[in-house]
Amino acid sequence: MNPYGRVTVADHGHARRIIECHGLRRSKPRIAFATIGQAPRTDVVPDILGMLDGVADYQEFGALDGLTAAEIASQTERGSERRLYTRLRDGRHIEADTGFVVGRLTALLQRLDGLGFDLIVLLTTGVFQSFSLRTPLVHGQRAVDTWIDALVVGDCRIGVIYPLAKQAEIDGHGTLIQNAHAVAATGEAARLADAAAQLGAADLILMHSVGYSEENARCMAVATGKPVVTARRIIVGAMRLHLSELGAATGVVPTGLPSVSPGTKELIDRLPPPSVPLTPRERQVLACVMDGEPNKVIARRLGISHRTVEIHRGRVMNKLEAGSPAELIRRALLLGAADG
């Protein structure tokens, strides 16, 4: 173990380090990123760490690591109704049998649970199984489900883009979700454009795969004129909640102005202006709140006290006459639907 607390795992060569901000040597949280494909996920993890704006020791692990090409091919050729879409180390995307992948993922998570990580992050959606671990777990699908449950109310319609049409048929979140079936691979602009054309009736669009980037979200927002949220952004919000608790012990919390998602900015812009305008600081706090950050993280990020955040947050809610951030998001969606 090095002075910063990172453990090197002999059988895995995907350890990465984020260099300390300002040259300060502190104890940093140790994160294990687990994917249903193969590690490293160079298309996902750097983006997620960038949204965290912080420092961490991390390692990447894949459920399909260590398998030969023939072994993987045997699972992609099986005619299962339940299949998961994922990425291999060489950049290829495959569809693999869900039962096989989840079995290997379960064994991987159990192994990671004994390696002393502060947080395990399951970088996938489409896996519905629960995992009993001692280590705190950010379960990608559960995080997305929680987010959807908080927003699907009244006449609000959430459009969902899946990487596989079959997932849209199986993965139901209720009748208020309008599914898009056109996207067969992540990041392909032409197919995303086809999906955008199907989502004109949606009030907000969720890109339901960690394979979709923030750049994909920006392009989708331009194409549809709707707020767009990625699964990555939702997972980052769940991570922030866990890491904020660790921050008190490690002293490592992101600082500086927040990285606001395109979806969050769009939602804030949709809100009717209050009778008393928000100050620049109040708008910063509102952006952090609607992006899922707890007060302690907002305080450290903006360089103000926890109490000051509470005051600004209270003033924002009073000016906007709202009881919670979820209420603000619902209101923005419903107002957007009425305007349309």
Side-chain angles (χ1 to χ4, degrees), residues 287-306:
C288 292
V289 168
M290 293 183 71
D291 230 13
E293 293 194 349
N295 288 351
K296 289 182 180 179
V297 172
I298 298 173
R300 295 189 180 99
R301 180 187 291 279
L302 299 181
I304 57 181
S305 71
H306 179 272

Side-chain angles (χ1 to χ4, degrees), residues 12-81:
H12 209 282
H14 305 303
R16 296 291 186 270
R17 174 178 295 280
I18 301 300
I19 304 301
E20 297 87 356
C21 291
H22 312 300
L24 298 178
R25 297 189 176 187
R26 303 179 183 179
S27 174
K28 299 181 296 299
R30 297 180 57 247
I31 302 173
F33 289 109
T35 175
I36 57 174
Q38 290 182 326
R41 287 298 301 265
T42 55
D43 60 322
V44 175
V45 171
D47 193 23
I48 285 180
L49 292 170
M51 284 188 276
L52 286 171
D53 296 328
V55 293
D57 282 335
Y58 71 97
Q59 292 175 256
E60 298 182 48
F61 304 85
L64 302 185
D65 287 352
L67 294 179
T68 66
E71 289 171 329
I72 292 175
S74 70
Q75 299 303 320
T76 63
E77 295 165 0
R78 293 175 60 178
S80 170
E81 285 295 313

Side-chain angles (χ1 to χ4, degrees), residues 87 151 154 199 205 231 281:
R87 186 178 187 268
L151 294 182
L199 295 172
I205 296 170
R281 177 65 88 190

Side-chain angles (χ1 to χ4, degrees), residues 122-156:
L122 180 53
L123 284 178
T124 187
T125 54
V127 172
F128 298 93
Q129 180 171 329
S130 298
F131 302 96
S132 179
L133 306 177
R134 293 166 296 176
T135 307
L137 171 69
V138 171
H139 190 308
Q141 181 63 50
R142 297 294 171 80
V144 170
D145 285 344
T146 299
W147 183 86
I148 289 174
D149 289 343
L151 294 182
V152 179
V153 294
D155 295 325
C156 171

Side-chain angles (χ1 to χ4, degrees), residues 1-321:
M1 181 178 292
N2 68 23
Y4 306 105
R6 182 175 67 179
V7 175
T8 299
V9 181
D11 64 349
H12 209 282
H14 305 303
R16 296 291 186 270
R17 174 178 295 280
I18 301 300
I19 304 301
E20 297 87 356
C21 291
H22 312 300
L24 298 178
R25 297 189 176 187
R26 303 179 183 179
S27 174
K28 299 181 296 299
R30 297 180 57 247
I31 302 173
F33 289 109
T35 175
I36 57 174
Q38 290 182 326
R41 287 298 301 265
T42 55
D43 60 322
V44 175
V45 171
D47 193 23
I48 285 180
L49 292 170
M51 284 188 276
L52 286 171
D53 296 328
V55 293
D57 282 335
Y58 71 97
Q59 292 175 256
E60 298 182 48
F61 304 85
L64 302 185
D65 287 352
L67 294 179
T68 66
E71 289 171 329
I72 292 175
S74 70
Q75 299 303 320
T76 63
E77 295 165 0
R78 293 175 60 178
S80 170
E81 285 295 313
R82 293 298 306 271
R83 304 178 74 75
L84 291 169
Y85 183 79
T86 190
R87 186 178 187 268
L88 301 181
R89 186 174 300 116
D90 61 9
R92 289 185 297 123
H93 288 85
I94 64 167
E95 297 177 35
D97 177 71
T98 297
F100 174 77
V101 172
V102 171
R104 288 189 60 90
L105 177 64
T106 300
L108 170 62
L109 293 178
Q110 290 173 346
R111 181 164 66 89
L112 295 180
D113 197 26
L115 296 181
F117 287 101
D118 296 303
L119 181 65
I120 298 174
V121 180
L122 180 53
L123 284 178
T124 187
T125 54
V127 172
F128 298 93
Q129 180 171 329
S130 298
F131 302 96
S132 179
L133 306 177
R134 293 166 296 176
T135 307
L137 171 69
V138 171
H139 190 308
Q141 181 63 50
R142 297 294 171 80
V144 170
D145 285 344
T146 299
W147 183 86
I148 289 174
D149 289 343
L151 294 182
V152 179
V153 294
D155 295 325
C156 171
R157 297 179 299 273
I158 298 180
V160 182
I161 301 178
Y162 294 92
L164 295 177
K166 181 63 68 175
Q167 285 179 283
E169 296 168 8
I170 296 173
D171 178 23
H173 291 286
T175 58
L176 296 178
I177 289 182
Q178 174 184 339
N179 292 326
H181 303 276
V183 180
T186 60
E188 296 188 3
R191 291 181 176 177
L192 287 176
D194 291 340
Q198 298 184 34
L199 295 172
D203 303 316
L204 178 144
I205 296 170
L206 167 64
M207 304 191 80
H208 197 288
S209 168
V210 295
Y212 296 124
S213 67
E214 292 298 293
E215 180 59 30
N216 293 147
R218 282 188 284 271
C219 292
M220 184 61 63
V222 170
T224 62
K226 309 290 184 180
V228 180
V229 178
T230 62
R232 294 186 190 185
R233 178 67 63 166
I234 294 170
I235 289 172
V236 166
M239 290 178 65
R240 283 171 173 158
L241 293 176
H242 287 281
L243 293 176
S244 66
E245 298 301 320
L246 292 173
T250 63
V252 179
V253 177
T255 59
L257 296 180
S259 170
V260 180
S261 69
T264 298
K265 183 180 184 301
E266 180 77 17
L267 288 173
I268 293 175
D269 290 342
R270 283 181 177 225
L271 291 170
S275 56
V276 179
L278 299 179
T279 67
R281 177 65 88 190
E282 287 170 350
R283 191 173 175 88
Q284 288 176 352
V285 170
L286 174 61
C288 292
V289 168
M290 293 183 71
D291 230 13
E293 293 194 349
N295 288 351
K296 289 182 180 179
V297 172
I298 298 173
R300 295 189 180 99
R301 180 187 291 279
L302 299 181
I304 57 181
S305 71
H306 179 272
R307 176 57 181 159
T308 301
V309 172
E310 291 180 340
I311 292 172
H312 284 310
R313 182 170 181 157
R315 288 174 177 168
V316 167
M317 293 300 168
N318 286 335
K319 287 181 179 181
L320 296 173
E321 299 180 352

